[in-house]
Amino acid sequence: MRVEMSVRGRIRAGDPEAFRQLFDDHARSVYNHGFRLTGDWSVAEDVVSLTFLEAWRLRDRVDVGGEAGALRPWLLGIATNVARNVRRATRRYAGALARLPPPEVVPDFAEEVAGRLRDRERLARVRTALAALRQPEREVLALCVWSGLDYAEAAAALGVPVGTVRSRLSRARTKLHKLVGAGRLDPPRGVVAPPGENTEPPGGRGQVSVDRTIAVRFAQENAR
């Protein structure tokens, strides 16, 4: 009798349908995590695409004997590394632009739209909060507080001991609470959260605005 392979086994074997399902199940979490680490909507979309391309490249490292739910920490770990690389590339690009003559200022009339202004204000609060933290603290805060991973899952995603995750998260929360208490920070909901609170934005039936075709292209080509 034929024994059906698990989802993890199919992903490891390069099954494009299993990889497409992986994208559908976790793209939103990867997108949210990418945005929290980069503070930029469009860069977060790049993080999603690059994360799933990298996941396809690293598919042979998936443990077929593990639990299906552990694929999310695995993906968020990849996304964390991708976000680091993207941020470094962005800094290099910004440095190159800074050496160029300043461009002519063109008014952005879209900023007059109330909805966009509200988005910019929320984004500014997120950036203010995250700017107060070191990169390792930002990453742990994003994984544990916003993405809802427990200490063990976050440790696996980052490749560090559980104790390191606990200490980084504690330092991050202490810093943010001090800033809030001093009136220097007014963070959005979830930046300073009680321990254990899951502030992952609610999922919806709609998919984030990233073309999953990019993420599964290699899988489809290899299946031909």
Side-chain angles (χ1 to χ4, degrees):
M1 181 175 64
R2 174 178 174 272
V3 178
E4 185 176 355
M5 295 178 65
S6 67
V7 173
R8 297 170 69 90
R10 290 167 57 205
I11 289 173
R12 184 177 179 122
D15 183 341
E17 289 300 324
F19 198 77
R20 183 178 292 108
Q21 186 61 49
L22 180 73
F23 182 92
D24 289 342
D25 291 344
H26 299 296
R28 182 180 178 85
S29 288
V30 172
Y31 176 82
N32 290 334
H33 185 58
F35 171 70
R36 291 159 189 155
L37 294 181
T38 64
D40 188 291
W41 304 106
S42 61
V43 174
E45 293 180 355
D46 293 338
V47 170
V48 174
S49 298
L50 293 171
T51 293
F52 282 92
L53 288 175
E54 186 69 359
W56 173 256
R57 188 179 70 84
L58 301 176
R59 66 190 183 281
D60 60 343
R61 300 187 187 181
V62 173
D63 179 11
V64 296
E67 294 294 331
L71 287 172
R72 181 167 175 265
W74 176 67
L75 284 172
L76 293 182
I78 294 175
T80 299
N81 290 329
V82 167
R84 290 173 186 165
N85 294 334
V86 169
R87 286 171 64 88
R88 282 195 290 267
T90 300
R91 286 195 295 268
R92 289 195 295 268
Y93 179 69
L97 289 182
R99 294 189 290 272
L100 297 176
E104 180 182 354
V105 177
V106 178
D108 184 0
F109 298 102
E111 290 187 358
E112 297 178 6
V113 180
R116 176 163 179 177
L117 286 175
R118 286 193 296 270
D119 286 343
R120 289 169 62 88
E121 291 169 358
R122 285 194 293 268
L123 179 55
R125 288 198 296 272
V126 171
R127 286 175 171 166
T128 300
L130 296 183
L133 306 177
R134 296 171 56 245
Q135 177 176 297
E137 296 164 350
R138 288 197 300 268
E139 292 171 351
V140 168
L141 188 78
L143 288 169
C144 292
V145 176
W146 280 316
S147 291
L149 299 192
D150 61 29
Y151 293 127
E153 290 173 333
L158 295 172
V160 299
V162 172
T164 300
V165 171
R166 291 178 180 272
S167 61
R168 289 178 183 176
L169 184 59
S170 177
R171 287 197 300 269
R173 283 177 166 161
T174 298
K175 287 181 181 180
L176 295 178
H177 276 295
K178 286 181 178 179
L179 289 174
V180 172
R184 294 171 55 193
L185 180 67
D186 181 23
R189 172 177 169 78
V191 172
V192 181
E197 180 178 345
N198 181 0
T199 55
E200 178 76 18
R205 299 186 63 85
Q207 182 176 297
V208 297
S209 56
V210 181
D211 187 355
R212 75 177 184 185
T213 303
I214 299 176
V216 299
R217 179 184 303 156
F218 291 156
Q220 293 170 326
E221 290 177 352
N222 280 269
R224 291 173 182 169

